[in-house]
Amino acid sequence: MTAIFKFKQSIANQLSRLTQCPSNEILKLMRPSIPSKGGNVSISLPKLNFRLNEQSSVEPKDILNKFEPDEYIQNVNFEDNSLIFTFQETGFTKRVLQQVYKDQDTYGWSHVPKPSNEHNTVLIDYSSPNIAKPFHAGHLRSTILGNFVKQIHEALGYRVIGINYLGDWGKQYGLLAVGFERYGEESKLISDPIQHLYQVYVQINADAETNEEINKQANNYFKRMEEGDPTALKQWERFRNISIQSLSAMYKRLNVKFDVYSGESQVNSYIPKVHDILKKQQLLVTTKQNTVAVNLEKHKLGTCVIQREDGTSLYMTRDLASICMRKDKYSFQKAIYVVGSEQAYYFKQLFQIYKMMMPDSLVDLQHIPFGRIKGMSTRKGTVVFLQDILDTVKERILEYMKKNEGKSQIGNLDQVADQLGTSAIMVQDMKSKREKDYKFSLDRMTDPKGDTGVYLQYTHARAYGIEQKSGIDIDPNCDFSLLKEKEALNLVQSISQFPEMVELAFSTLEPCTIVNYLFKLSNATNAASNHLRVKGTDRDIARARMLLFWSARITLKNGLHLLGIQAINRM
């Protein structure tokens, strides 16, 4: 149970007796009150009356005259059609800050019941770049958003398996192999494998547009791979391993770790099993083009081809095989695919076919879609490589930091600039609803005074600095009545809201819920630190304020952790 819940429950219980509206319905109506109007929680009276349906409506005087203050609630007022409730300040402050002290690194989610062992394994499929193609903006969004989904599931007690399902199979790899025979250079492959393989891929694709023979060679090469040709597979494995090593270094900069590097290549043994199950369920049809397909017309999903005329597999075949393979290997209950919105139709087809294949399966398959990044380019042109994105943002921040080097106490400017750069990229990506497109803006994302990752890190470092300079221990038994200033009470209110934000973010898998909450928390923290000194004040007051700022920093740090961002202590 969260600190704020007891106070809300007290309101709900009294209002339920006065209005006959169930207390659980009243809890759903509660919103944080607007700071300018005072109080802690507000309830819209029209919405409360709407919940009463045909029962008599409630007048403000019915509540104001009969509501009784208790150990949790100080008073109730009415303004702008809303009931505004004020908590008992000292009791509320004590409960909130002591809960942060008790929970520390789990504050925000320690109150959430842990899933049972039978329902706690979740697979998250995210990032998933293609070997031989650039790590484009869509892969970057999938990486950042997927990492958030992984972090919040882990925090809430799930056994999470993060999978990077590489595009390492199919005709495009056949093209790459043919291209490398013509244009590949060993030295360039070793020094910059991602970029060199992409250059080779672009060149061979250009050749294939005017020479149909190249497409035939690519198809034949891929067929050799599916048939287990050792020479073809040896080269494929080398390209794959080199690419993973190169990608891993960039993922490390983003503070992203995968439990498994998988790929389309690893599901080959399950493809015949998929065909057998589909055949057994009488789901296969042969098209006029001699391809094999599944008819999904009755589900308004068209006809989905799962085998080409030459017998080779497609994405759909391999994705169905991967679900079967993962179910056998990990015995998961839920699988989440973090992939762009443009693939929504494809995933509807995939999930429907699996459901028809396995009608008794209780597996929960989810597609978490997201919009596009617009306006992203780098010094190397319109083709975007992840390393260029990271380096460009880092250089911008390093330039700013060097201008202000006299104000900084840190020696590792380069490392901190890199961390700030990744924070800036990740927060810009997560500050809006997932499915909204957004414009990539270097100026906006690196603004230390705007709603940016840099601002969140600045707030954390500033709060950490207060702790280090104050010489005051963190004391959960301080005199809470000394925290009576408006700025202090606003900050306590903000800290108290974090657990509810975590629950909401988990239910929607929208990281913007956490990001925008952290902006408000940071604003409240900085407003308080501007008005409430710790060092040089009365010792009892200093102890109370120190616990307040420490609690704000822990809350901010925990929020950043859910976003996959490592908090910076000095900058």
Side-chain angles (χ1 to χ4, degrees):
M1 183 181 295
T2 63
I4 200 171
F5 184 78
K6 281 185 177 291
F7 293 79
K8 288 185 171 184
Q9 189 71 61
S10 176
I11 296 170
N13 289 342
Q14 277 209 60
L15 280 187
S16 181
R17 289 194 296 270
L18 295 173
T19 64
Q20 305 306 308
C21 183
S23 60
N24 64 319
E25 291 296 318
I26 293 172
L27 285 167
K28 293 175 185 176
L29 295 174
M30 293 184 189
R31 298 291 181 269
S33 59
I34 299 170
S36 61
K37 294 182 179 180
N40 299 90
V41 166
S42 67
I43 295 176
S44 165
L45 194 61
K47 289 183 179 179
L48 176 60
N49 282 326
F50 180 78
R51 293 292 175 106
L52 293 172
N53 297 322
E54 298 177 2
Q55 300 175 40
S56 59
S57 62
V58 174
E59 295 294 330
K61 63 181 181 180
D62 298 333
I63 306 300
L64 298 178
N65 293 338
K66 297 177 182 179
F67 195 93
E68 297 180 357
D70 59 18
E71 63 175 306
Y72 299 110
I73 309 305
Q74 182 175 313
N75 60 53
V76 57
N77 293 304
F78 184 75
E79 185 178 344
D80 293 339
N81 277 331
S82 290
L83 295 163
I84 301 172
F85 299 86
T86 300
F87 299 159
Q88 294 285 4
E89 288 177 355
T90 301
F92 181 58
T93 297
K94 179 178 180 179
R95 284 180 179 273
V96 172
L97 301 188
Q98 285 188 341
Q99 184 181 359
V100 180
Y101 185 84
K102 173 178 172 288
D103 295 344
Q104 300 208 13
D105 289 346
T106 62
Y107 175 66
W109 54 84
S110 64
H111 67 288
V112 179
K114 299 297 181 281
S116 63
N117 289 336
E118 313 91 69
H119 300 96
N120 76 337
T121 301
V122 178
L123 300 189
I124 303 173
D125 186 318
Y126 62 113
S127 193
S128 305
N130 294 305
I131 289 178
K133 293 184 181 179
F135 191 106
H136 61 65
H139 296 307
L140 176 61
R141 290 216 73 188
S142 176
T143 304
I144 292 171
L145 295 170
N147 196 45
F148 160 74
V149 174
K150 183 174 187 278
Q151 292 287 109
I152 200 166
H153 273 84
E154 285 181 338
L156 269 64
Y158 288 84
R159 173 180 172 250
V160 181
I161 300 165
I163 298 179
N164 196 345
Y165 187 62
L166 301 172
D168 62 356
W169 206 248
K171 182 198 167 183
Q172 85 268 8
Y173 184 81
L175 269 173
L176 176 65
V178 171
F180 196 79
E181 290 174 2
R182 291 190 175 200
Y183 303 114
E185 295 182 36
E186 190 66 22
S187 60
K188 290 182 179 179
L189 177 66
I190 298 300
S191 63
D192 196 348
I194 302 295
Q195 193 166 30
H196 182 54
L197 291 177
Y198 172 69
Q199 290 168 344
V200 168
Y201 187 73
V202 168
Q203 286 177 290
I204 198 65
N205 263 283
D207 293 349
E209 287 180 7
T210 57
N211 185 350
E212 185 57 33
E213 185 61 30
I214 288 174
N215 282 314
K216 290 179 182 177
Q217 291 174 14
N219 283 329
N220 289 337
Y221 196 100
F222 177 52
K223 193 167 186 180
R224 282 170 54 200
M225 288 169 59
E226 286 212 308
E227 291 170 350
D229 180 277
T231 303
L233 289 177
K234 185 177 180 180
Q235 178 172 267
W236 160 82
E237 186 174 13
R238 180 166 182 255
F239 286 177
R240 185 181 190 275
N241 290 341
I242 289 174
S243 296
I244 288 174
Q245 288 173 12
S246 180
L247 286 168
S248 295
M250 289 183 280
Y251 286 131
K252 186 176 181 180
R253 291 177 69 179
L254 286 171
N255 197 31
V256 172
K257 296 176 183 177
F258 296 93
D259 301 295
V260 179
Y261 278 92
S262 183
E264 296 175 273
S265 58
Q266 297 179 352
V267 302
N268 282 340
S269 63
Y270 276 79
I271 290 175
K273 297 178 184 179
V274 167
H275 281 277
D276 289 344
I277 296 169
L278 290 169
K279 189 174 181 180
K280 183 179 178 181
Q281 297 287 2
Q282 298 182 330
L283 297 172
L284 297 178
V285 294
T286 302
T287 68
K288 293 179 181 178
Q289 293 77 29
N290 284 326
T291 60
V292 178
V294 176
N295 188 332
L296 300 173
E297 292 291 350
K298 72 176 182 178
H299 302 285
K300 299 181 180 179
L301 292 171
T303 298
C304 184
V305 176
I306 63 160
Q307 183 177 287
R308 292 192 183 91
E309 184 181 4
D310 64 1
T312 54
S313 60
L314 289 90
Y315 286 121
M316 182 62 71
T317 332
R318 298 190 286 274
D319 279 336
L320 288 167
S322 77
I323 297 174
C324 295
M325 179 187 76
R326 293 170 181 181
K327 189 71 180 109
D328 285 352
K329 192 170 184 178
Y330 303 113
S331 190
F332 65 91
Q333 288 74 49
K334 180 164 68 174
I336 298 172
Y337 295 79
V338 186
V339 185
S341 300
E342 69 276 4
Q343 295 292 324
Y345 186 79
Y346 172 84
F347 279 100
K348 286 179 182 177
Q349 288 183 316
L350 173 65
F351 297 165
Q352 184 58 49
I353 294 175
Y354 184 77
K355 187 177 178 182
M356 292 160 68
M357 281 174 59
M358 304 290 194
D360 298 326
S361 175
L362 298 177
V363 167
D364 180 13
L365 302 174
Q366 295 182 22
H367 172 216
I368 302 298
F370 54 82
R372 297 176 181 273
I373 306 177
K374 297 180 177 179
M376 183 182 280
S377 61
T378 71
R379 62 176 181 263
K380 294 187 179 179
T382 55
V383 172
V384 180
F385 290 87
L386 176 58
Q387 186 168 331
D388 283 307
I389 299 169
L390 297 175
D391 288 346
T392 301
V393 178
K394 173 187 171 182
E395 286 166 12
R396 172 68 67 91
I397 290 175
L398 196 56
E399 182 181 325
Y400 176 83
M401 291 177 74
K402 285 181 177 177
K403 285 181 183 177
N404 296 274
E405 203 164 354
K407 300 178 184 178
S408 177
Q409 302 299 313
I410 59 172
N412 55 336
L413 278 181
D414 194 74
Q415 180 183 342
V416 172
D418 198 41
Q419 284 182 270
L420 286 173
T422 57
S423 299
I425 292 168
M426 294 169 80
V427 167
Q428 179 172 258
D429 194 271
M430 291 187 277
K431 69 190 291 187
S432 299
K433 291 274 189 180
R434 271 189 287 103
E435 293 196 65
K436 283 184 67 175
D437 297 345
Y438 76 88
K439 188 173 182 179
F440 186 89
S441 171
L442 195 60
D443 291 335
R444 192 166 61 244
M445 76 162 65
T446 56
D447 184 354
K449 296 178 182 178
D451 285 346
T452 64
V454 178
Y455 174 61
L456 296 181
Q457 292 284 20
Y458 162 80
T459 302
H460 184 273
R462 185 181 183 188
Y464 182 81
I466 292 172
E467 289 173 39
Q468 297 304 302
K469 295 172 185 175
S470 69
I472 303 294
D473 292 334
I474 309 301
D475 182 4
N477 298 308
C478 58
D479 186 348
F480 293 95
S481 68
L482 297 173
L483 294 171
K484 56 191 176 184
E485 298 85 358
K486 178 184 69 175
E487 293 82 9
L489 297 176
N490 285 344
L491 183 50
V492 171
Q493 171 87 342
S494 185
I495 293 167
S496 75
Q497 293 165 357
F498 184 51
E500 293 179 341
M501 294 299 104
V502 173
E503 288 185 48
L504 179 59
F506 180 72
S507 67
T508 60
L509 294 182
E510 287 281 4
C512 65
T513 302
I514 300 294
V515 171
N516 291 304
Y517 163 77
L518 293 182
F519 288 144
K520 292 176 183 176
L521 174 67
S522 295
N523 290 339
T525 302
N526 289 317
S529 62
N530 287 338
H531 289 85
L532 308 175
R533 289 185 59 81
V534 176
K535 192 174 181 179
T537 61
D538 174 85
R539 190 156 187 84
D540 286 340
I541 293 174
R543 287 165 66 205
R545 290 177 178 177
M546 190 66 263
L547 179 63
L548 173 65
F549 289 124
W550 175 86
S551 298
R553 184 182 70 79
I554 291 298
T555 305
L556 176 54
K557 178 184 174 184
N558 289 357
L560 289 171
H561 170 77
L562 292 180
L563 299 174
I565 297 172
Q566 186 175 354
I568 295 174
N569 290 337
R570 292 185 175 86
M571 58 180 283

